[in-house]
Amino acid sequence: MILTILTSISDALWGTPMVVILVGTGLYLSIRFGFRYNFRCLGFHFRNTFGRMFQKGEGRGTVSGFAAACTAMANTIGVGNIGGVATAIVSGGPGAVFWMWVSGFLGMSTKACEIILGQRFRVKYSRSMDEYMCDRSFVMKNALGWAKGAVVLAVACFLLGPWTDCVQTESVVGAMQEGFGLEPRVTVAILGLTCFATIFGGLQRISTVMERVVPFMALLYILGGLGILLQHLAEVPAALLLIVKSAFSPLAAVGGFAGATVSDALRYGIARGLYSNDAGTGYGIIAHASAKTDHPVRQSSWGWGEVFLDTIVVCSVTALSIILTNVYIDHPGVDSARLTTVAFRAAYGQFGAWLMAAAITVFAWTTIVGMYYSCEKSVNYAFGDTDRNKAATRLYMLYYMVPCVMLYDIRADALWAMTDILSAVYVFFTLLFIYTQQKEIMRLFNDFWFRFLPAKERGEQPPAVSYGLSDEKGNES
């Protein structure tokens, strides 16, 4: 009964109106930005993201732009790329992959807006943390002046946010059972202890770990997926054609696959694409607020970089691995990360299962750690830059880990339904901020492209843009 209720709410929230709103917002913003985050200025974005990975960055901030991006990608490159893609294909057919691409392509502009907002309305806590930060509550108060609503939002985020980690833990337990036959309680104990040890070190430890772990594991996983593509190289064009055709026509039931309608492909593709790249959920506001950068729009290049790596590269690798090995048809009843594990086992034997178990575990681990940072900012907002904030943060670490180690055996479809419901709430507020602050977003966007960047390219030192660095009370400096 609970599953039926959750699924009904999730289906209602992620029906046609949500799809239209998200796709329409991404298209609208892409047009306003002149498609600079989609296909124009790709050379600039590459140089300012992957090309600046080992630079500390200019301007004020707590960590480098790359470290902030890795913290963000810890949320984006995770089980959503493995289990989420598999769930999308099982529920929506191969056509869901096409709509994931669409959500990613248009979501680049939406993610850029989040990053700009995070930099624009960030604050610095000097007394309790010595850290630059922002989240949805800071934007709600400092941009809209809704102080009471911001407190309610912060409390809701830090109370409910940890429960989305159940998706990560469920995937890890399934993968370790599939790959190594490891007992679930042993898996969650190790997962819980290592995650807690990392988050206990605060932003500096989290960002340092993410800088090292996320790129390495993403590269290893991509190489594994490319190996499957090479094994089935002659079939790749047909698989790509199936993805495109299934996006616009119903898929017939074959073998253990029940078939999927166009609305199924659209609904699950957009929802899983969003969960994977986080465009529109507001996580970009949080992760990038701490970055050192000379201009907020420069940091927003990661709106392109994160979504490109996450959705266009990693999700595509997963999808093609599942489709080319035909496991979504040959293994009815297998879903989430286990299906991707079966695909890698079909390609590489037991080594493939081990590789997937390791990849899922590391991806889920980094997502849990990255999600903690997002939830912690809501705690910081609720308690302010005070001594109470220090104590509350320490206690919150314990509360945050409870769902990870206690609720690992809930059904995957129930976990995804709960995650979809919370994501829909986040989307509502994030889009509210983007639309109400679009004048300020465009002011900063135009300032960078038509004043600041040209001056930099001429070798000048242009005055820094005023973008609202604030203290904890929201007073600009």
Side-chain angles (χ1 to χ4, degrees), residues 92-430:
V97 181
F98 177 86
W99 295 112
M100 290 184 75
W101 291 339
V102 171
S103 74
F105 178 77
L106 298 177
M108 293 173 177
S109 297
T110 309
K111 177 65 75 73
C113 287
E114 295 180 31
I115 297 171
I116 293 172
L117 287 173
Q119 285 275 327
R120 168 63 178 84
F121 294 105
R122 69 179 183 172
V123 305
K124 183 180 182 182
Y125 275 21
S126 300
R127 178 179 175 182
S128 60
M129 303 183 71
D130 190 28
E131 183 181 321
Y132 292 79
M133 67 183 70
C134 190
D135 81 337
R136 304 172 190 88
S137 295
F138 286 103
V139 177
M140 180 175 285
K141 177 188 175 184
N142 296 337
L144 303 181
W146 298 352
K148 293 182 179 179
V151 173
V152 174
L153 179 60
V155 172
C157 286
F158 72 65
L159 286 179
L160 299 177
W163 300 90
T164 62
D165 288 336
C166 298
V167 172
Q168 313 299 326
T169 307
E170 182 273 336
S171 296
V172 172
V173 168
M176 296 304 284
Q177 281 183 313
E178 193 78 33
F180 300 101
L182 198 62
E183 220 281 324
R185 293 182 182 180
V186 175
T187 299
V188 296
I190 297 172
L191 185 69
L193 288 172
T194 54
C195 285
F196 184 80
T198 303
I199 65 178
F200 193 79
L203 173 60
Q204 292 293 347
R205 182 181 297 174
I206 291 172
S207 61
T208 299
V209 171
M210 295 303 106
E211 278 185 291
R212 288 164 172 75
V213 174
V214 172
F216 173 77
M217 200 64 238
L219 179 61
L220 184 61
Y221 179 72
I222 291 169
L223 291 175
L226 289 177
I228 296 179
L229 268 64
L230 290 175
Q231 291 180 25
H232 300 269
L233 192 58
E235 304 165 41
V236 170
L240 293 173
L241 182 60
L242 175 65
I243 289 172
V244 176
K245 288 178 62 177
S246 302
F248 299 97
S249 60
L251 190 66
V254 181
F257 184 65
T261 65
V262 174
S263 61
D264 289 333
L266 187 64
R267 178 253 194 269
Y268 286 101
I270 296 293
R272 293 292 159 264
L274 171 69
Y275 181 75
S276 175
N277 59 49
D278 283 338
T281 60
Y283 289 118
I285 293 174
I286 304 164
H288 291 270
S290 62
K292 294 178 182 177
T293 182
D294 58 359
H295 199 289
V297 177
R298 188 186 298 280
Q299 185 65 20
S300 73
S301 282
W302 281 105
W304 168 84
E306 288 173 20
V307 178
F308 174 79
L309 182 61
D310 174 270
T311 306
I312 307 303
V313 178
V314 180
C315 285
S316 298
V317 165
T318 300
L320 289 172
S321 298
I322 291 171
I323 293 170
L324 289 171
T325 55
N326 214 47
V327 293
Y328 73 106
I329 292 175
D330 296 338
H331 295 268
V334 179
D335 197 357
S336 194
R338 292 186 180 183
L339 183 63
T340 311
T341 302
V342 171
F344 271 67
R345 177 183 279 151
Y348 299 114
Q350 187 58 32
F351 173 77
W354 294 339
L355 175 62
M356 278 305 305
I360 291 168
T361 300
V362 174
F363 282 157
W365 185 88
T366 56
T367 299
I368 291 170
V369 173
M371 186 70 71
Y372 166 78
Y373 176 74
S374 299
C375 294
E376 182 193 82
K377 297 309 106 183
S378 294
V379 176
N380 299 153
Y381 179 84
F383 288 90
D385 191 11
T386 64
D387 291 336
R388 291 179 303 165
N389 182 42
K390 292 182 181 180
T393 301
R394 294 303 186 192
L395 289 174
Y396 184 70
M397 292 177 186
L398 297 173
Y399 169 77
Y400 180 83
M401 296 309 303
V402 170
C404 298
V405 299
M406 297 295 292
L407 301 177
Y408 58 86
D409 57 350
I410 298 178
R411 286 179 52 172
D413 45 5
L415 295 176
W416 283 111
M418 288 189 293
T419 301
D420 284 347
I421 293 169
L422 192 58
S423 294
V425 176
Y426 289 158
V427 167
F428 171 79
F429 285 106
T430 302

Side-chain angles (χ1 to χ4, degrees), residues 30-46 105 108 304 445 449-450:
S30 296
I31 293 172
R32 290 215 66 182
F33 288 142
F35 293 97
R36 288 182 184 269
Y37 293 103
N38 310 97
F39 54 81
R40 292 182 61 197
C41 307
L42 295 186
F44 171 84
H45 292 308
F46 188 88
F105 178 77
M108 293 173 177
W304 168 84
F445 177 83
W449 286 102
F450 303 115

Side-chain angles (χ1 to χ4, degrees), residues 444-464:
L444 295 169
F445 177 83
N446 291 326
D447 177 82
F448 178 75
W449 286 102
F450 303 115
R451 178 192 70 88
F452 190 84
L453 185 60
K456 280 281 190 179
E457 292 176 342
R458 292 192 298 265
E460 301 173 6
Q461 292 297 324

